[in-house]
Amino acid sequence: MSVERVLPSPEAHDLLDLVRDLVGKEVAPRASADESAGRFPREVFTVLGRAGLLGLPYPEEHGGAAQPYEVYLQVIEELAAGWLAVGLGLSVHTLSCFPVAAYGTAAQRAELLPDMLGGGLLGAYCLSEPHSGSDAAALTTRAVPDAGGYTVDGVKAWITHGGVADFYTLMARTSDDGSRGISCFHVPASTAGVSSAAPEKKMGMRSSPTAQVRFDGVRLEPGALLGAEGEGFRIAMAALDGGRLGIAACAVGVAQAAFEAATAYARERRQFGSRIVDFQGVSFMLADMATQIAAARALYLDAARARDAGRAYGTQAAMAKLFATDMCMKVTTDAVQVLGGYGYVEDFPVERYMREAKVLQIVEGTNQVQRLVIGRALAG
């Protein structure tokens, strides 16, 4: 991507150069064919793991790379520009690791994080249910405590990497005390009683499986609990603040890719004896795209720097997710318009970008929920 980045260290510049090289060689060339075929690119995540990209914002002592969030998110953006399924997949994996890293005991972190961050495992985050989406506190999957640990029964829905993940970060009810009755668990996918439904047939991101995950009499040891009983909802919301920034970065990446495709086409396409980029109607569309992309990037990076500085950033994360994903939908729609009929066919990538953009307005909390979060913050 032709993006001039302000990065905090020479190491970060080297990292972004590595990512651009990986995107150019391993990610972007296969995106269109694999999306059309609905193939999940597990081997791409293996490559990312070997390159040290699956644990970027986590401590080196547990196998991470100790990178600031502002660097990690720009890696996400570069990957998403090459292939959203990969950029969003890395964001979801990072989200899935957060409860162990932030709330696990020293023993849990030492046991679990090296494999989770080292590239051998891929995670999924199990919060939503068929009847519990935006109202996450209404979840009904239950983990019944007993002397030997917990027995889990329930169904999770809309799970990215459902059926292909190696571990699930699970939110389940341990009491009937509303949001205070939810707890967080680490569940290896190989645990008896864990299964998944067939992947959903989606408008976009067809190579990223989204499926229901079922827990039927799943027995968990006491050590599967992350944090204290009843702390799961707070853990889930803290994880989602970071996850929303990941989605904002994905949106900027997809929009950047669409903008670059539209600009390149407009410079080459000639009508009425001139390049269409020289017509004001097209050049103004491109100018608006560039401006909105730059604004969204600045917004998510500002929130990331607040997070890196240890400041509260939840409202900024909601703003970044809201603005960036709405922007992405507009930019990709306009990119299709710039290409005209060619934008509507699979020979050019902008139709895929437009289909992919839509889901970003929904995942990690719909944009209506983001407005609710921001509005509540304003109300004090």
Side-chain angles (χ1 to χ4, degrees), residues 152-154 187-196 213-219:
V152 181
D153 288 281
V187 185
S190 59
T191 306
V194 177
S195 64
S196 64
V213 179
R214 300 177 179 129
F215 300 85
D216 298 314
V218 174
R219 292 287 301 140

Side-chain angles (χ1 to χ4, degrees), residues 161-335:
H161 300 157
V164 300
D166 298 297
F167 67 89
Y168 296 103
T169 298
L170 170 69
M171 303 300 163
R173 184 164 297 287
T174 47
S175 82
D176 294 321
D177 191 15
S179 64
R180 292 180 293 276
I182 295 169
S183 300
C184 182
F185 299 89
H186 175 80
V187 185
S190 59
T191 306
V194 177
S195 64
S196 64
E200 306 288 352
K201 296 179 180 179
K202 305 195 300 289
M203 177 190 297
M205 285 230 311
R206 294 168 181 164
S207 57
S208 175
T210 303
Q212 290 190 354
V213 179
R214 300 177 179 129
F215 300 85
D216 298 314
V218 174
R219 292 287 301 140
L220 299 179
E221 298 296 321
L225 178 68
L226 301 174
E229 270 195 21
E231 197 175 16
F233 190 76
R234 184 163 70 89
I235 294 173
M237 294 301 103
L240 286 175
D241 283 342
R244 285 166 179 163
L245 290 182
I247 299 303
C250 283
V252 172
V254 173
Q256 182 73 34
F259 164 72
E260 290 181 6
T263 302
Y265 180 86
R267 288 171 177 167
E268 296 293 328
R269 177 71 168 172
R270 302 185 72 85
Q271 292 287 276
F272 307 103
S274 300
R275 302 180 307 167
I276 66 170
V277 73
D278 296 319
F279 296 126
Q280 190 176 82
V282 173
S283 68
F284 278 17
M285 288 176 72
L286 296 173
D288 286 345
M289 289 182 195
T291 302
Q292 294 296 300
I293 291 167
R297 182 178 292 117
L299 190 56
Y300 89 63
L301 286 175
D302 186 60
R305 290 170 185 138
R307 186 187 196 279
D308 289 333
R311 303 198 307 268
Y313 72 101
T315 303
Q316 286 174 283
M319 290 177 175
K321 196 272 183 184
L322 167 64
F323 183 84
T325 59
D326 280 354
M327 174 279 297
C328 185
M329 192 73 249
K330 178 68 164 61
V331 165
T332 55
T333 302
D334 285 348

